[in-house]
């Protein structure tokens, strides 16, 4: 039997979920039974092949009337916990977009409520479905690059000024007194943080022993757009540097440092480069398991879940550290400029700084390159 699904949040990134559900529906795995949006989608907004799903702004009622077995939640970050618990109370399993919550307390409320309800929840870190992740873990376990020294992540992306006007919560730390925490490390480049922690095998909250942050912004927003974080764990540090103000945007990557080599993982491409002493470079490409498909397989045949809530606890510790850190420091006007044609702000030299952080596991302020990266901006 196909699994009935309700999608909450079908515009914006939700369009990706519509297309993915259409793919799985064509394969006979699922059926889109309902769409929850404040304003119903027109038929033109619903991809061909999905039929005419029920629509309602009342999430709970829609779950009841459609008999949904799975809810995909792709709504604003502050709504995640309450919607997830509504579904859990009705026995509906979950694919919950990342970040799962805007604070560690809300994450625990969600995870504990889901566990009490006895339903399954998958957190939407799509990179954790890459077959490269277990392949890299095997290389590490086999000692392919010697003793592990740490993991660095680099993300140099670009977002125009309209990106921060797409929704009231975009680029906000709080909205109407409620936490949002929509920063570069917690939302657009959250995968770099989660993937780095996963490769090191330090995904649970108790694996984290300390966190240092440097949060800055070039755009006229509340939250951060150019930041770095170093997470201390018993297995070594995980340092991630990221910006949405790149000069030349590129694919983000995670770099595992060893005493005799290193492994680079471009997680959006599922591409791996192994470099080690005494060998030539070895490049490989890997497949990927879709997280919704994995959730269905888990429910139907007991396949291992790829991104359970407890396996994102370390990431949520990072979210909490960013939430409670001092507000991001505005970069001086001399540190950025506007590209008029693209209507976006660029920080000269940031691409190299992001790469250098991943290479050295250093924070911006420790690299001694940018005058605006001052130690006083560090929060532990």
């Amino acid at each position: 039997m196909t699994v009935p699904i309700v999608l909450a949040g079908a515009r914006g990134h939700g369009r990706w979920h519509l297309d993915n559900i259409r793919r799985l529906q064509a394969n006979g795995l699922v059926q889109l039974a309902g769409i929850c949006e404040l304003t119903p989608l027109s038929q033109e907004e619903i991809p061909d092949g999905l039929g005419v799903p029920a629509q309602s702004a009342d999430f709970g009622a829609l779950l009841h009337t459609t008999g949904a077995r799975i809810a995909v939640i792709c709504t604003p970050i502050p709504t995640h916990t309450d919607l997830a618990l509504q579904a859990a109370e009705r026995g509906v399993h979950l694919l919950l977009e990342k970040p799962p919550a805007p604070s560690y307390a809300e994450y625990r409320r969600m995870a504990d409520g889901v566990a009490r309800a006895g339903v399954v929840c998958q957190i939407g870190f799509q990179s954790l479905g890459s077959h490269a992740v277990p392949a890299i873990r095997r290389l590490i376990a086999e000692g392919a690059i010697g003793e592990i020294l740490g993991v660095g992540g680099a993300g140099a992306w670009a977002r125009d000024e309209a990106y921060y006007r797409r929704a009231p919560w975009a680029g906000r730390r709080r909205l109407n007194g409620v936490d949002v925490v929509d920063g570069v490390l917690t939302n657009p480049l959250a995968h770099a943080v989660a993937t780095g922690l996963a490769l090191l095998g330090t995904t649970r909250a108790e694996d984290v022993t300390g966190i240092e942050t440097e949060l800055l912004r070039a755009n006229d927003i509340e939250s951060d757009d150019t930041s770095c974080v170093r997470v201390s764990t018993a297995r070594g540090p995980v340092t991630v540097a990221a910006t949405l103000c790149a000069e030349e945007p590129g694919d983000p990557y995670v770099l595992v440092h060893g005493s005799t080599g290193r492994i680079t993982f471009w997680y959006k491409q599922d591409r791996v480069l192994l470099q080690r002493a005494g060998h030539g470079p070895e490049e490989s490409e890997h497949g990927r398991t879709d997280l919704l498909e994995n959730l269905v397989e888990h429910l139907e045949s007991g396949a291992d879940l790829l991104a359970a809530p407890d396996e994102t606890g370390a990431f949520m510790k990072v979210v909490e550290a960013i939430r409670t850190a001092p507000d991001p420091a505005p970069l001086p006007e001399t540190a950025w400029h506007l590209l008029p044609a693209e209507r976006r702000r660029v920080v000269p030299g940031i691409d190299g700084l992001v790469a250098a952080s991943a290479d050295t596991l250093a924070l911006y302020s420790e690299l001694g390159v940018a005058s605006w990266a001052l130690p006083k901006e560090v929060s532990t």
Side-chain angles (χ1 to χ4, degrees), residues 37 75 346 354:
E37 269 288 356
T75 55
V346 171
V354 164

Side-chain angles (χ1 to χ4, degrees), residues 341-371:
E342 300 178 36
R343 299 303 303 172
R344 70 178 183 90
R345 299 186 184 190
V346 171
V347 176
I350 190 61
D351 301 24
L353 208 61
V354 164
S357 173
D359 280 342
T360 62
L361 305 179
L363 300 174
Y364 291 150
S365 64
E366 297 168 341
L367 293 168
V369 175
S371 60

Side-chain angles (χ1 to χ4, degrees), residues 141-209:
E142 293 164 1
I145 57 171
E147 179 186 355
I148 300 304
L149 306 177
V151 176
W157 276 4
R159 292 293 183 269
D160 60 18
E161 292 178 334
Y163 174 79
Y164 298 107
R165 297 194 297 269
R166 75 192 193 282
W169 55 270
R172 301 293 295 267
R173 281 171 70 77
R174 299 169 195 88
L175 182 63
N176 299 325
V178 176
D179 289 317
V180 176
V181 200
D182 180 39
V184 62
L185 291 167
T186 55
N187 194 8
L189 282 157
H191 283 90
V193 179
T195 306
L197 291 164
L199 294 183
L200 201 58
T202 52
T203 58
R204 302 176 75 87
E206 57 267 29
D207 294 326
V208 175
T209 58

Side-chain angles (χ1 to χ4, degrees), residues 17-359:
H17 285 288
L18 279 174
D19 286 336
N20 191 46
I21 291 169
R22 176 176 61 174
R23 178 183 66 85
L24 297 179
Q25 185 162 314
N27 292 336
L29 293 178
V30 305
Q31 178 187 7
L32 182 62
I35 295 173
C36 183
E37 269 288 356
L38 296 179
T39 303
L41 270 64
S42 66
Q43 194 56 44
E44 290 72 27
E45 291 180 281
I46 300 174
D48 291 340
L50 287 175
V52 185
Q55 297 200 60
S56 173
D58 187 329
F59 183 56
L62 191 62
L63 294 176
H64 176 72
T65 58
T66 60
R69 193 174 177 205
I70 292 176
V72 177
I73 297 177
C74 185
T75 55
I77 300 165
T79 68
H80 284 185
T81 293
D82 285 342
L83 290 178
L85 293 179
Q86 278 192 54
E89 289 164 2
R90 290 167 172 80
V92 178
H93 306 288
L94 291 156
L95 173 60
L96 179 62
E97 259 300 343
K98 58 79 188 164
S103 69
Y104 191 78
E106 283 292 276
Y107 154 75
R108 280 272 38 115
R109 185 165 75 91
M110 178 277 296
D112 293 344
V114 165
R116 281 195 303 271
V119 301
V120 176
C121 180
Q122 179 102 281
I123 307 300
F125 284 108
Q126 293 292 338
S127 61
L128 301 186
S130 176
H131 303 169
V133 172
I136 293 171
R137 285 173 170 166
R138 284 193 297 271
L139 288 171
I140 291 171
E142 293 164 1
I145 57 171
E147 179 186 355
I148 300 304
L149 306 177
V151 176
W157 276 4
R159 292 293 183 269
D160 60 18
E161 292 178 334
Y163 174 79
Y164 298 107
R165 297 194 297 269
R166 75 192 193 282
W169 55 270
R172 301 293 295 267
R173 281 171 70 77
R174 299 169 195 88
L175 182 63
N176 299 325
V178 176
D179 289 317
V180 176
V181 200
D182 180 39
V184 62
L185 291 167
T186 55
N187 194 8
L189 282 157
H191 283 90
V193 179
T195 306
L197 291 164
L199 294 183
L200 201 58
T202 52
T203 58
R204 302 176 75 87
E206 57 267 29
D207 294 326
V208 175
T209 58
I211 300 174
E212 302 162 85
T213 63
E214 292 184 2
L215 310 178
L216 305 114
R217 58 178 177 85
N219 283 278
D220 185 18
I221 57 175
E222 279 186 358
S223 203
D224 55 300
D225 59 36
T226 300
S227 299
C228 55
V229 63
R230 183 163 53 213
V231 185
S232 299
T233 80
R235 299 197 64 189
V238 176
T239 302
V240 179
T243 185
L244 299 179
C245 305
E247 295 175 286
E248 298 291 338
D251 277 319
Y253 60 90
V254 177
L255 181 58
V256 184
H257 295 268
S259 58
T260 60
R262 66 185 197 172
I263 303 167
T264 308
F265 175 30
W266 290 270
Y267 58 80
K268 288 182 68 67
Q269 303 176 28
D270 301 309
R271 183 164 63 93
V272 174
L273 176 64
L274 171 62
Q275 298 165 290
R276 50 181 169 168
H279 298 75
E282 303 169 47
E283 191 167 336
S284 57
E285 293 186 2
H286 300 261
R288 178 179 291 218
T289 298
D290 175 72
L291 294 185
L292 180 54
E293 191 168 357
N294 171 245
L295 176 57
V296 172
E297 291 174 351
H298 175 82
L299 296 175
E300 298 297 323
S301 63
D304 290 340
L305 204 64
L306 291 171
D310 282 348
E311 297 303 321
T312 61
F315 169 80
M316 284 306 307
K317 284 289 188 180
V318 174
V319 172
E320 183 70 4
I322 291 172
R323 184 185 76 86
T324 58
D327 287 343
L331 290 173
E333 291 187 3
T334 54
W336 60 268
H337 64 265
L338 180 70
L339 291 182
E342 300 178 36
R343 299 303 303 172
R344 70 178 183 90
R345 299 186 184 190
V346 171
V347 176
I350 190 61
D351 301 24
L353 208 61
V354 164
S357 173
D359 280 342

